[in-house]
Amino acid sequence: MSFDKKILSEEDIKMKYITPAIEKSGWDIKKQVRAEYTFTDGRVIVRGNLTSRGKKKRADYLLFYKPNLPIAIIEAKDNKKTIGAGMQQGIEYAEILDVPFAYSSNGDGFIEHDMKNGTEREISLDKFPSPEELWNRYKEEKNITNEQEEIITEPYFFAKGDKQPRYYQRNAINRTIEAIAKGQDRILLVMATGTGKTYTTFQIIYRLWKSRRKKKILFLADRNILVDQTMQNDFKPFQNVMTKIENKTIDSSYEVYLALYQQLSGQGGEEIFKQFSPEFFDLIVIDEAHRGSARDDSSWRKILDYFENATKIGLTATPKETKNISNIAYFGEPIYTYSLKDGIEDGFLAPYKVIRIGLDKDLEGYRPTKGKRDIYGELIEDREYNVKDFDRVLVIDDRTKKVAQKVTEYLKKTDRFSKTIVFCVDIEHAERMRQALINENTDLVAQNSKYIMRITGDNAEGKAQLDNFIDEDSLYPTIVTTSKLMTTGVDCKTCKLIVLDTNIGSMIEFKQIIGRGTRLKPDYGKEYFTVMDFRNVSRLFADPDWDGEPVQIYEPNEQNGDDIVPPDVEEDDNGKDEEEINPGNKGTDIDVEIDGSDNKTKRHKYVIRDVVVTVISERVQYYDKDGKLITESLKDYTKKNILEEFADLDTFLKRWNSGEKREAIIEELKEQGILLDALREDIGNPDIDDFDLICHIAYDKPPLTKAERVNNVKKRGYLYKYSDMAQKVLEGLLEKYKDEGLKDLEKTEILELNPFNKIGSPLKLVKAFGNKKRYLEAVKELEQEIYA
């Protein structure tokens, strides 16, 4: 009699057929095979102040030719399904993981999909390819020479206790190494803020340096904090061969150099980089390549042109593509992109909720009465002022106070020690905002004066506190006001609230500011962050450029006389703080044109204190599992998603009444972004259980409270068929249900708790029903009575 595989579970098929077939073909199970390989964390879903996790992506098998060089994926199914039933999922995962071969199996054999050629074939269980066979096929398909192979297979850096690269970091590293091995000398990597660009860069540099293909490396950044963080953290293994260029005289004995490109290019006309010979560096890495560097007359462009033969890698979270500026025109198309949307969907980045607050003067505008003067006695120009003018041309004192009040109100409702960055129009605005926030939080400021601080480039005391703001172990400062200084490059895992009270027209700057909040820190209590928007800046979330490819790539046409940056065009998104652009300007003066001419004069901003500003709208916005704005109410969104899963009440009841499926139903709903506790709060009825909540929202059934359901059970006399002791146990279970719902009701451990431990021992209580089996049957019957 032959054995029927169809009675086996998927796990049995893997253990009895697939794993032995892999091992037999020469794969080292311990070193080359990862089973149940989980490669995402599951999206964080936020409703109110509650969070849950969506489903993680998991491959049944991931096979590695060398550590961190995956080459094949296998998706398994039970034998009731066909051999190729797992292939579409396998292909999807292979695309995500950058794996060249995908397999599907049900234990009878394998279907193989060659990702490069798009071909499929069926092979028997005993013919699964060996590691060498797959690697040689990959080499042949990609035309990889033996010399290139040495670079591509150079091991990653790893020390005991080190983190392993996430899948997208590994993809970026391997693609870069392979591209360089094959002779590509300009490379652009696009990775969202908070996804580990510096760690990725370290592994790229390490493998090239260790293989001695790149012996002298230059890492360029535009802020000291970026260089210092890099040296202290990810680049620490280079400490014996690494130096930071700080002086005008350069020591050429090191192998890894880190520098500010402003310093190398020379301030005052001295080009320090020319102390090196043009052939000195083999590899140059440009961090934050979207900033002032994205122009052909920028500081680093001179450096790169001087070291003409070096390989160049550009890193950015935001590739810059406009008519005037293009880093793609220099580096070429990105060889790998991992976007903010990808990071949030995978659960590696914090999702966001947006609170949009509309102030009357912002939405309606403000026009001064004829002859009105400001607090300095200056006549205010008679015209309509709007949100673009406020704090740049005209200061309404009460507007600043209202913003400070709303920020403080939010923190008091949530956590007053949530790290908060308030982005302001300029330094002077940041200082006024600091004062307004202090006056709203005098109690905590009295305890510690550093509770609220301004961190801008002109203020040494504020800048000195930046490390403390970033430090999760330091309470102070908690709230900081800034203008441009903290828009980029600051590794701030602690930031839970971003306040936008500045006008942002640049998608680049917007992405960088949002990036201050995207780093997850669950052990710090940070699983999402909040954007409080006073200037409708969050409209940029809906822009096609927010997370997509550039709408248009501008390629200069020399025949038409085009330049990437015309000589008379200034880049408007250079990332500099106002005091860095114009030292000595403290933000109180503005340029104005006279009679439409180019002649400019200086005057103070108008400041008024007798105009009242009110809040006229406040809206909280959530985003669904696909990262799209939920425009309908939470109730409508829930109903729509439940009906997609359970088309009618009968379908839902069949699943619910199967008992063991209830938790699965709740988990499925969580993965759809439906958190029942948040929904209970939203409809204002905390006393109904999950069953009534679902039936009420999705199927319009009048809900019963848990107490009402318990009373109905007692009225029907259901308990009287049991002995006195058994009745007391069931009455105790009903009380537990009334207080806590069905949770843990079927677990016998509950009998060790109050009030059951006052009635008798768990063994004695179970015997009141006859035995354990009959006790569990009675509990299931009780649950059915509850929902009768």
Side-chain angles (χ1 to χ4, degrees):
M1 183 177 175
S2 62
F3 180 75
D4 185 6
K5 285 185 187 176
K6 288 182 170 46
I7 67 172
L8 298 178
S9 68
E10 183 180 305
E11 292 303 312
D12 287 331
I13 291 293
K14 288 192 284 189
M15 180 177 63
K16 297 177 186 297
Y17 296 97
I18 299 176
T19 301
I22 298 168
E23 193 167 21
K24 185 180 176 183
S25 63
W27 294 86
D28 187 322
I29 296 296
K30 291 183 179 178
K31 294 181 179 179
Q32 292 181 293
V33 179
R34 292 282 302 275
E36 295 296 310
Y37 180 78
T38 300
F39 56 93
T40 72
D41 280 356
R43 176 184 170 85
V44 178
I45 299 164
V46 184
R47 294 291 178 269
N49 294 320
L50 301 175
T51 61
S52 71
R53 284 276 185 174
K55 201 170 187 177
K56 298 179 180 181
K57 287 188 172 73
R58 181 183 295 113
D60 289 329
Y61 295 88
L62 188 63
L63 310 185
F64 293 82
Y65 177 65
K66 298 280 187 183
N68 287 309
L69 282 178
I71 194 167
I73 193 168
I74 304 173
E75 281 302 307
K77 298 296 177 185
D78 63 51
N79 200 252
K80 297 186 190 74
K81 300 180 179 67
T82 63
I83 298 177
M87 183 51 74
Q88 290 189 162
Q89 187 178 38
I91 291 172
E92 178 191 344
Y93 287 175
E95 288 175 342
I96 295 171
L97 296 170
D98 250 9
V99 171
F101 301 100
Y103 295 87
S104 174
S105 179
N106 67 350
D108 289 339
F110 295 93
I111 299 291
E112 177 193 83
H113 185 95
D114 186 316
M115 297 295 292
K116 186 174 190 303
N117 295 329
T119 57
E120 289 194 1
R121 64 173 180 144
E122 184 172 342
I123 55 179
S124 62
L125 274 179
D126 60 353
K127 297 294 183 184
F128 191 81
S130 68
E132 290 72 25
E133 183 181 346
L134 282 187
W135 180 251
N136 288 332
R137 283 173 60 188
Y138 176 74
K139 278 177 58 181
E140 184 178 345
E141 290 177 357
K142 298 294 288 284
N143 296 314
I144 295 171
T145 66
N146 290 336
E147 184 181 2
Q148 292 167 357
E149 180 183 12
E150 288 183 23
I151 304 173
I152 292 168
T153 57
E154 181 67 41
Y156 281 56
F157 175 85
F158 181 76
K160 190 174 181 180
D162 273 4
K163 58 186 176 184
Q164 288 285 345
R166 291 171 174 165
Y167 83 86
Y168 62 85
Q169 295 169 334
R170 188 176 60 223
N171 289 352
I173 296 163
N174 290 345
R175 283 199 193 182
T176 303
I177 297 295
E178 187 169 315
I180 291 173
K182 294 171 80 66
Q184 189 171 330
D185 60 3
R186 292 187 184 182
I187 290 164
L188 183 63
L189 287 176
V190 177
M191 296 174 67
T193 301
T195 56
K197 288 194 298 292
T198 312
Y199 171 75
T200 300
T201 304
F202 163 73
Q203 289 290 1
I204 291 168
I205 293 174
Y206 176 84
R207 290 173 65 189
L208 293 169
W209 172 77
K210 193 70 175 175
S211 69
R212 306 312 290 163
R213 295 311 194 279
K214 305 294 179 185
K215 299 176 184 177
K216 296 282 188 177
I217 294 108
L218 174 63
F219 180 89
L220 287 172
D222 69 347
R223 296 220 173 150
N224 261 312
I225 189 169
L226 296 178
V227 173
D228 294 341
Q229 285 178 348
T230 298
M231 293 183 73
Q232 294 163 12
N233 299 322
D234 291 312
F235 276 36
K236 195 172 182 180
F238 284 136
Q239 57 187 340
N240 295 328
V241 297
M242 174 175 61
T243 187
K244 177 181 178 182
I245 299 175
E246 295 184 278
N247 303 314
K248 292 183 180 180
T249 303
I250 296 173
D251 185 345
S252 62
S253 64
Y254 290 92
E255 296 186 49
V256 179
Y257 294 79
L258 295 92
L260 300 177
Y261 54 70
Q262 303 97 315
Q263 183 182 20
L264 274 192
S265 63
Q267 295 174 353
E270 189 175 359
E271 295 179 322
I272 296 172
F273 64 89
K274 289 188 176 177
Q275 291 185 36
F276 295 106
S277 71
E279 293 78 30
F280 187 82
F281 289 111
D282 306 306
L283 174 67
I284 301 177
V285 178
I286 305 94
D287 194 22
E288 304 290 355
H290 58 277
R291 284 164 58 78
S293 46
R295 290 167 40 167
D296 60 359
D297 63 349
S298 69
S299 300
W300 67 239
R301 197 62 68 86
K302 287 189 297 184
I303 299 170
L304 300 194
D305 289 345
Y306 179 76
F307 299 109
E308 183 179 3
N309 295 324
T311 298
K312 289 99 178 180
I313 301 173
L315 303 169
T316 182
T318 48
K320 194 153 200 170
E321 234 13 77
T322 69
K323 182 174 180 180
N324 298 326
I325 302 165
S326 173
N327 51 19
I328 290 178
Y330 181 84
F331 289 104
E333 291 288 340
I335 67 167
Y336 188 71
T337 297
Y338 189 75
S339 67
L340 174 64
K341 179 181 177 182
D342 295 330
I344 292 175
E345 181 61 31
D346 287 343
F348 296 129
L349 293 181
Y352 46 85
K353 69 176 180 180
V354 178
I355 302 175
R356 286 189 178 181
I357 297 175
L359 304 175
D360 61 343
K361 299 301 183 289
D362 293 359
L363 300 175
E364 300 165 2
Y366 167 73
R367 184 170 182 177
T369 57
K370 187 175 180 180
K372 185 174 179 62
R373 296 181 180 273
D374 76 351
I375 63 170
Y376 303 111
E378 187 164 353
L379 183 67
I380 301 174
E381 181 186 353
D382 183 13
R383 68 173 177 85
E384 185 84 18
Y385 293 88
N386 58 38
V387 71
K388 291 185 178 179
D389 298 309
F390 298 146
D391 300 296
R392 187 180 67 84
V393 176
L394 176 78
V395 174
I396 301 177
D397 193 51
D398 195 50
R399 188 190 177 284
T400 308
K401 291 178 181 178
K402 282 296 186 297
V403 172
Q405 286 169 7
K406 293 305 292 184
V407 171
T408 304
E409 178 186 303
Y410 174 82
L411 291 173
K412 285 181 176 179
K413 286 180 180 176
T414 53
D415 175 10
R416 293 185 75 184
F417 285 96
S418 291
K419 298 279 184 162
T420 300
I421 306 176
V422 185
F423 287 96
C424 301
V425 168
D426 56 24
I427 292 172
E428 185 267 340
H429 182 206
E431 174 56 24
R432 284 189 296 102
M433 187 62 70
R434 182 192 71 84
Q435 295 170 18
L437 284 163
I438 282 176
N439 289 330
E440 296 296 327
N441 294 274
T442 54
D443 55 337
L444 293 184
V445 173
Q447 292 177 24
N448 191 308
S449 62
K450 291 184 173 65
Y451 176 68
I452 298 166
M453 294 196 74
R454 169 167 61 93
I455 299 181
T456 49
D458 69 330
N459 186 272
E461 293 79 10
K463 285 197 292 186
Q465 291 299 317
L466 184 55
D467 285 343
N468 288 329
F469 180 74
I470 293 169
D471 185 359
E472 62 196 69
D473 294 324
S474 175
L475 275 181
Y476 307 105
T478 299
I479 304 172
V480 300
T481 65
T482 190
S483 53
K484 297 279 189 187
L485 189 64
M486 296 178 69
T487 58
T488 187
V490 179
D491 186 4
C492 188
K493 295 184 178 71
T494 58
C495 181
K496 292 183 180 180
L497 176 62
I498 291 174
V499 180
L500 301 175
D501 194 26
T502 182
N503 303 309
I504 301 171
S506 160
M507 178 61 74
I508 305 300
E509 186 178 5
F510 179 60
K511 283 187 176 183
Q512 289 295 323
I513 286 175
I514 295 304
R516 299 315 100 213
T518 55
R519 289 171 172 86
L520 271 171
K521 195 69 177 171
D523 55 346
Y524 180 73
K526 181 188 171 185
E527 293 190 288
Y528 68 94
F529 68 103
T530 300
V531 178
M532 184 175 283
D533 180 12
F534 288 91
R535 304 214 182 201
N536 198 26
V537 174
S538 54
R539 69 187 185 281
L540 293 173
F541 279 123
D543 192 292
D545 268 352
W546 164 244
D547 202 33
E549 296 296 325
V551 174
Q552 178 182 4
I553 295 177
Y554 179 78
E555 295 180 354
N557 185 334
E558 292 181 2
Q559 293 179 343
N560 294 336
D562 287 347
D563 275 323
I564 294 178
V565 183
D568 59 341
V569 174
E570 285 279 340
E571 182 187 1
D572 64 353
D573 179 38
N574 54 17
K576 302 291 184 185
D577 212 347
E578 184 172 326
E579 72 278 8
E580 295 172 311
I581 299 168
N582 186 11
N585 179 6
K586 302 306 177 187
T588 57
D589 293 325
I590 59 173
D591 291 332
V592 292
E593 293 187 9
I594 301 176
D595 299 328
S597 69
D598 290 334
N599 296 321
K600 293 187 177 181
T601 185
K602 292 279 188 178
R603 66 158 168 75
H604 287 284
K605 295 176 184 177
Y606 302 122
V607 180
I608 52 178
R609 289 181 179 153
D610 57 353
V611 173
V612 176
V613 174
T614 59
V615 175
I616 60 175
S617 67
E618 184 169 342
R619 182 169 53 157
V620 180
Q621 297 179 322
Y622 295 100
Y623 295 79
D624 70 9
K625 64 185 178 67
D626 297 315
K628 295 178 180 176
L629 180 67
I630 298 173
T631 54
E632 69 263 61
S633 69
L634 186 56
K635 182 178 176 181
D636 290 341
Y637 174 79
T638 301
K639 181 173 183 175
K640 180 182 73 176
N641 280 272
I642 291 174
L643 291 176
E644 283 178 3
E645 191 72 25
F646 310 106
D648 53 51
L649 181 59
D650 285 342
T651 304
F652 169 71
L653 290 176
K654 283 176 185 176
R655 282 285 304 277
W656 183 266
N657 287 329
S658 61
E660 67 275 4
K661 299 291 185 182
R662 289 173 192 151
E663 288 187 11
I665 290 172
I666 304 304
E667 285 304 312
E668 286 171 17
L669 293 177
K670 282 183 181 179
E671 289 170 14
Q672 296 294 325
I674 299 168
L675 306 187
L676 296 180
D677 285 341
L679 189 62
R680 255 186 287 271
E681 185 177 323
D682 186 65
I683 67 172
N685 193 341
D687 295 324
I688 59 174
D689 70 2
D690 295 342
F691 175 83
D692 276 285
L693 185 61
I694 293 169
C695 290
H696 173 57
I697 296 298
Y699 308 109
D700 301 316
K701 296 296 178 185
L704 295 176
T705 65
K706 293 192 288 289
E708 287 171 330
R709 289 198 171 277
V710 167
N711 288 335
N712 286 343
V713 172
K714 292 179 178 178
K715 285 177 185 177
R716 287 196 294 270
Y718 160 73
L719 301 179
Y720 295 144
K721 68 177 183 177
Y722 291 99
S723 67
D724 288 346
M725 183 174 288
Q727 284 184 43
K728 289 179 181 178
V729 172
L730 295 176
E731 285 173 350
L733 292 174
L734 285 173
E735 289 303 310
K736 284 286 183 184
Y737 160 76
K738 188 166 69 173
D739 294 336
E740 303 169 19
L742 286 180
K743 184 183 176 184
D744 299 331
L745 225 59
E746 295 177 5
K747 296 178 180 178
T748 54
E749 290 83 359
I750 200 170
L751 298 178
E752 298 174 7
L753 305 175
N754 187 47
F756 306 104
N757 54 9
K758 296 177 181 177
I759 305 171
S761 68
L763 183 61
K764 183 178 179 181
L765 299 181
V766 167
K767 281 187 175 180
F769 293 86
N771 53 41
K772 184 176 180 180
K773 181 183 177 183
R774 289 185 178 176
Y775 167 75
L776 294 175
E777 288 173 351
V779 173
K780 282 185 179 290
E781 191 178 359
L782 179 66
E783 291 174 354
Q784 291 171 0
E785 282 293 318
I786 289 172
Y787 295 118

